Amino acid sequence: MDSYEGTATFEWWANRSTCQGRLCVRVAVRAAGDTWTSEATLESPLATKDRESFDFLMQLDPHFTLRFDDASTVLVEVAEARATDRVTAVHEVSSRT
């Protein structure tokens, strides 16, 4: 895959059976050799309570599962740009399907 644009979900899992948070996003993935980056835009702005929950999860651990529409997943480290509601996956940690 050299690039992908579409919808996906960022998920924060406490363990294999407990998902603590999900964010629906529009994502653009770009690959160059062995590295890739992904920029995601939240499908809708977060309400105050949801923003607080997201901020809390980011402080605990910025690693989220990026789940694509075909159910494939990638574990990513997330960095956030608050002003634009853009979320960036800064690198791939591991792959799993």
Side-chain angles (χ1 to χ4, degrees):
M1 166 175 84
D2 291 331
S3 66
Y4 169 80
E5 291 189 32
T7 57
T9 306
F10 278 120
E11 301 173 344
W12 195 96
W13 289 84
N15 55 46
R16 291 193 176 269
S17 62
T18 307
C19 182
Q20 295 291 351
R22 286 188 174 90
L23 296 172
C24 296
V25 294
R26 296 272 321 147
V27 66
V29 178
R30 304 284 180 256
D34 292 337
T35 63
W36 63 269
T37 59
S38 172
E39 185 173 278
T41 304
L42 300 175
E43 285 194 341
S44 58
L46 295 177
T48 301
K49 182 179 177 184
D50 295 332
R51 168 63 61 192
E52 290 170 358
S53 295
F54 177 70
D55 290 344
F56 177 74
L57 294 175
M58 286 286 293
Q59 288 176 6
L60 285 176
D61 185 355
H63 295 94
F64 284 70
T65 298
L66 178 59
R67 182 177 304 278
F68 296 97
D69 290 340
D70 66 358
S72 63
T73 62
V74 174
L75 186 63
V76 296
E77 183 176 352
V78 173
E80 181 198 11
R82 287 192 89 146
T84 61
D85 280 329
R86 289 189 185 277
V87 179
T88 303
V90 292
H91 71 275
E92 178 178 358
V93 176
S94 66
S95 298
R96 59 186 166 150
T97 330

